[in-house]
Amino acid sequence: MSSGRHPSRIFSLEQAAEEAPALSALMERARRSKSLLNQVLHRIPAGLRTQITAGPLDDTQWCLLVSNPAAATKIRHLTPLLLQDLGQHGAQVTSIRVKIQSRDR
């Protein structure tokens, strides 16, 4: 008796995304968020660059995840400059949230 299922196949993440529009949209937002970080990375002091990760990107709000409170404070001070750079590159981001990312040990 057949269950109507297709034989098991292994998909890459890209292949799965092509078949699932919601996953595809999520992956595109993650790519755009990383691209935004690359556009402003030159404004972030070298010592802080390894402590920042591109976070969620909504329509006009972007989130940066940082590793500690000191890095969060410095990035918050840089926010106006980062927004200016993003605007010059055509990004529609109007606000940046900075969140401290907890690290499970």
Side-chain angles (χ1 to χ4, degrees):
M1 177 175 187
S2 173
S3 65
R5 289 185 168 177
H6 295 285
S8 294
R9 296 186 332 194
I10 298 174
F11 291 98
S12 71
L13 187 55
E14 290 79 18
Q15 290 169 324
E18 289 174 5
E19 296 193 22
L23 181 56
S24 179
L26 181 62
M27 287 180 59
E28 178 57 28
R29 285 184 17 209
R31 276 192 292 268
R32 285 183 27 226
S33 181
K34 288 179 183 178
S35 174
L36 292 175
L37 183 56
N38 287 334
Q39 289 176 19
V40 298
L41 210 52
H42 69 281
R43 295 286 189 184
I44 298 169
L48 289 179
R49 292 177 189 167
T50 60
Q51 299 178 43
I52 300 171
T53 304
L57 174 64
D58 295 325
D59 292 331
T60 60
Q61 186 178 66
W62 182 36
C63 181
L64 291 174
L65 305 173
V66 296
S67 62
N68 62 64
T73 299
K74 181 62 178 172
I75 296 303
R76 285 186 183 107
H77 286 288
L78 292 173
T79 298
L81 188 58
L82 301 181
L83 285 169
Q84 180 181 358
D85 277 8
L86 291 172
Q88 289 174 349
H89 285 98
Q92 301 299 314
V93 175
T94 59
S95 66
I96 297 174
R97 291 182 303 139
V98 179
K99 295 181 82 174
I100 300 168
Q101 185 175 17
S102 62
R103 300 224 183 232
D104 295 332
R105 295 182 196 254

